[in-house]
Amino acid sequence: MSASAKLAPPTANASKANGVNGASNGAPNAGGVKVSLSLGNLPQKKELKALYPRTPSRVDPNNPPWPAYRGYHEYSFAYATMGHRLPTILGKAIEDTIRTLNDQSAEDKVVDLVKCVERMDDLMSDLSGNQKLRPIIDDGEGDIPLWNKEIAKYFQGKDFMNAPWLFAEAYKYRRLHECFSISQYWKDYDVFFRQKCDTFSRSSDAVFELSTRFVEPFTHANHLSDGDKLEKERLMFLELTQVCLWGNSTDLSLLINMTEDQIKSLQSTGGEHLAATEKNILGNHMSRLWETIKDIKETRGRSGAGGRIDFVLDNAGFELYCDCVYADFLIQSGIASQVRFHGKRFAWFVSDVTRKDWEWLLNSMVYGQLFPKATDAELESLRRLGRRWKQYEKEGKWVYEQHAFWCTGYTYWDLHTEAPDLFLHLSQSDLVIFKGDLNHRKLTYDCAAPASTPFDVAIGPMATFPGAPRVASLRTIKSDVVVGFESDAIAEQLDQDEAGWKISGKYAVVLLSDGRPGEKVRFA
């Protein structure tokens, strides 16, 4: 004990408690007497501000690099999501499932689906009652060990509202999948499939705006010089990057009740519209992204191999269609010889792409009857575009794939440790484009980092780990986390002038990390 910290003298009552004449009975603090320390000679307590970001050794799913957004934070979108949006989305999913139930005739399928609805009701009770997070039932999916390890290590005793918002939201969707995955007949049922199809069928103006422009393969006029050809490619690339970016506006989890006119407004792809919206890209690395694309084409062109570009997909329907238009240009212009598309293994966050969504889009373009008011020329342009894309698949130029990691609660800071095979696979890409708000949240750990935080700092190991690929994030802003701005003042001014700017989808970022490509990937 320090010489300056002296034991306070025992009171008379304390002496009696210790036995006759104050003799000790051998039990410390016998009788419940507390021994107090006099610390008057020590320095005064200092008020210290916590330092962020946390050091890597102190970062884990319950302790992000900066403070996490949690459901009880009334100032954040997490509060509205956990308290209102998720119950509303789950309620609509229950309604959709009951409609499916009412269409069934076979008793065994009816009874099985009734049990699924009952499990959905239980999930609604847990969500609305803010119950503790239990382990996921083993349904044979490859993500079960990852989920239950994370829950056991970091979320014992946590409930929906005090776990970090990103994890709690992902957990809710995994529990929703569990409602069906442990059934006999409905393991692959997607409660959101009808809604995803509707977003594409209700997007006719924007769909044909693009199909009629890109029905013919991209070529250069013979009279153009090499410099003019490069400039034409640059302008087309920048414009298509915006098309791909703003296609994310129709996120069903946020815009589930939109009218057709509102959807058309969001999906406008005219040149004037894109020029007007570029000022709303608050973190804008598009010029750097073009330089990266140009370098990929030149470097791979010299080797004759052609580049590889990966898309980590976000929403099905119209956004996926925009992604494919973008990828088509990357193939035709010689920038990439192969594009790999990464989707989800099962229904996820309402509108995320699954293999079923991928196949539905291509086949609907070629064979579907979604647009009864379209002209013959418009329908033919869509069919020809769809046939070309299906041919890319047959030739291996386009590859759709899925990995269990994308449907876990982990952020992409943990990709190299929890899914080393996937990290190694992505490290072989020349550029990995992450689409949408959820992917951006997972890249940046979805925490309260300053808006001026550089993107490569915010994504941690995805920028700094040996072999980390070049990473681009194309995201319309629909949640609290914002990074990559030139200064904090931009966000602070918007906070004052435009309440709700972080969730409106009006603003966006196009951010790039150079990574550490070409280095040998090493795992601890």
Side-chain angles (χ1 to χ4, degrees), residues 207-216 236 239 269-271 381:
V207 166
F208 293 122
E209 172 81 16
L210 292 173
S211 68
T212 53
R213 289 177 182 271
F214 291 96
V215 60
E216 297 296 339
M236 282 196 66
E239 194 157 317
T269 55
S381 70

Side-chain angles (χ1 to χ4, degrees), residues 224-395:
L224 293 179
S225 66
D226 289 343
D228 289 339
K229 290 178 181 178
L230 186 63
E231 178 62 9
K232 182 180 179 183
E233 286 184 15
R234 184 184 74 87
L235 294 173
M236 282 196 66
F237 173 80
L238 295 177
E239 194 157 317
L240 277 173
T241 299
Q242 277 216 67
V243 169
C244 191
L245 168 67
W246 296 111
N248 174 245
S249 295
T250 46
D251 180 344
L252 281 177
S253 70
L254 293 165
L255 309 177
I256 206 164
N257 294 315
M258 288 193 72
T259 66
E260 191 163 347
D261 287 342
Q262 288 171 321
I263 288 177
K264 288 179 179 178
S265 176
L266 277 171
Q267 294 172 340
S268 175
T269 55
E272 290 183 4
H273 173 77
L274 292 181
T277 55
E278 186 170 2
K279 69 180 186 300
N280 291 340
I281 303 176
L282 303 179
N284 191 343
H285 292 173
M286 283 206 294
S287 59
R288 279 183 57 198
L289 186 58
W290 164 248
E291 291 300 321
T292 298
I293 287 292
K294 188 172 67 169
D295 178 67
I296 292 170
K297 183 176 182 180
E298 292 173 353
T299 303
R300 292 297 192 179
R302 287 194 294 269
S303 68
R308 168 186 154 188
I309 293 179
D310 289 53
F311 283 78
V312 182
L313 298 170
D314 188 41
N315 294 319
F318 180 72
E319 182 182 352
L320 177 59
Y321 175 75
C322 292
D323 296 340
C324 289
V325 170
Y326 196 36
D328 193 358
F329 170 75
L330 296 176
I331 292 288
Q332 291 179 38
S333 61
I335 293 167
S337 60
Q338 185 182 71
V339 177
R340 290 180 174 266
F341 300 87
H342 301 266
K344 307 298 191 298
R345 289 170 62 91
F346 45 78
W348 193 245
F349 278 67
V350 182
S351 48
D352 281 31
V353 177
T354 64
R355 184 178 294 278
K356 183 178 179 180
D357 300 319
W358 170 266
E359 293 174 347
W360 178 89
L361 175 67
L362 298 188
N363 288 324
S364 293
M365 290 172 65
V366 176
Y367 306 111
Q369 305 290 324
L370 295 174
F371 306 103
K373 296 181 181 179
T375 66
D376 289 344
E378 288 172 333
L379 292 172
E380 180 60 20
S381 70
L382 192 62
R383 282 192 289 266
R384 288 174 59 182
L385 201 60
R387 284 194 290 266
R388 185 162 77 232
W389 294 355
K390 288 172 74 68
Q391 186 63 29
Y392 286 158
E393 272 202 297
K394 291 178 182 178
E395 297 172 356

